[in-house]
Amino acid sequence: MKVAAIQHDVVWEDRAANFERLAPQIAAAAGAGARLVVLTEMFSTGFSLDVDAVAEPVDGPSTAFLVDQAEQHAVWVCGSLPERPEGEALPSNTLVLAGPAGQVHRYRKIHPFSYAREHERYEAGDQLVTVEVEGLRVSLFVCYDLRFADEFWGLAPATDLYVVVANWPESRRHHWQSLLVARAIENQAYVVGVNRVGEGDGLVYAGDSRIVDPLGEVLAAGARTEALLVAEVDPAQVAAVRERFPFLQDRR
């Protein structure tokens, strides 16, 4: 299966502008043969803590955009967004995965970024999520989750590919690059890490998106500009690596 990472800029807190910018990029990814297309964290607003300005209801405009794009191009599309369920005081930073037949799966970020006080504005999730996408077992994570290896380890036996969407600042770019490769090597699985570029709320984002194979080799990488990264991933390769190097069974 081909997987696409769309490394894109974000117009701050302007959904309509971001939908307009992203639609042709998703079309290009589908045109390149991708079956799974990954956008960034908070793809439609940027990483805003002004929840009164950006929070949307379940199945709100950002989810509707993902669903429409998935159906229009007959692919799977995902990205995170600020979603507030009815009756909840705070929204969650929710990674929504939409499928070509109208499927919608949600992962709510388990680790809000307390360093930036995200935990004061967004409710933490409590459920890990793995979805089968056309025979590929895909586990979903958001940005800061990447620093917590235990969740990745726990899902490893049932995961072929980890998706990590992010707004990871340039000042810690080396951490981002290193941890993506580490998670792939540790768990003998593919990792698709998609980070934004540009500036938002005073922070600079360098991109550095990666598609990494189960041995830690980088199959595709982005730099500081918008880019479409495409690579082939194969669950049979995950199985072969784990059979050749049976490291997972030695965990305690």
Side-chain angles (χ1 to χ4, degrees):
M1 175 195 294
K2 283 186 178 179
V3 174
I6 297 180
Q7 178 173 284
H8 60 91
D9 202 347
V10 180
V11 182
W12 187 253
E13 296 182 353
D14 189 337
R15 289 188 186 87
N18 289 310
F19 297 161
E20 184 177 359
R21 288 169 55 85
L22 286 168
Q25 296 184 60
I26 295 169
R35 300 298 308 140
L36 172 63
V37 181
V38 186
L39 308 178
T40 66
E41 178 184 23
M42 299 288 189
F43 75 92
S44 61
T45 62
F47 185 72
S48 174
L49 298 180
D50 186 356
V51 297
D52 291 332
V54 301
E56 55 188 81
V58 173
D59 297 326
S62 297
T63 297
F65 173 79
L66 295 175
V67 169
D68 175 72
Q69 291 295 306
E71 293 180 346
Q72 180 179 336
H73 298 292
V75 297
W76 293 78
V77 185
C78 68
S80 97
L81 53 103
E83 183 178 79
R84 177 158 40 203
E86 185 176 357
E88 295 292 329
L90 296 176
S92 293
N93 187 342
T94 303
L95 178 52
V96 173
L97 171 64
Q103 308 97 316
V104 177
H105 301 273
R106 287 178 167 84
Y107 162 72
R108 293 181 168 86
K109 186 179 182 182
I110 286 179
H111 297 284
F113 188 39
S114 60
Y115 179 81
R117 307 182 74 173
E118 183 184 10
H119 65 296
E120 297 178 5
R121 298 293 184 176
Y122 288 90
E123 191 70 40
D126 59 7
Q127 297 291 324
L128 299 171
V129 175
T130 302
V131 180
E132 185 169 319
V133 176
E134 300 179 11
L136 188 73
R137 300 170 300 173
V138 179
S139 293
L140 307 176
F141 288 100
V142 178
C143 203
Y144 190 45
D145 291 332
L146 183 62
R147 291 187 178 274
F148 300 90
D150 50 341
E151 275 95 7
F152 287 75
W153 284 25
L155 292 178
T159 299
D160 300 307
L161 180 147
Y162 296 99
V163 165
V164 186
V165 302
N167 277 200
W168 195 289
E170 180 184 48
S171 59
R172 293 180 292 280
R173 63 188 301 219
H174 178 63
H175 298 189
W176 164 255
Q177 296 170 351
S178 299
L179 291 171
L180 289 174
V181 173
R183 297 294 164 263
I185 293 171
E186 290 172 340
N187 298 292
Q188 300 175 298
Y190 293 96
V191 173
V192 178
V194 187
N195 189 34
R196 69 163 290 186
V197 294
E199 298 183 18
D201 200 27
L203 294 174
V204 177
Y205 299 92
D208 298 314
S209 299
R210 297 283 189 271
I211 302 176
V212 188
D213 81 2
L215 289 172
E217 297 295 326
V218 177
L219 303 178
R224 295 177 179 272
T225 60
E226 291 194 322
L228 172 62
L229 312 179
V230 180
E232 290 275 358
V233 301
D234 185 354
Q237 177 66 7
V238 175
V241 167
R242 291 175 176 180
E243 181 177 4
R244 183 181 177 190
F245 303 109
F247 301 150
L248 296 186
Q249 70 185 27
D250 293 332
R251 285 186 179 162
R252 296 291 185 267

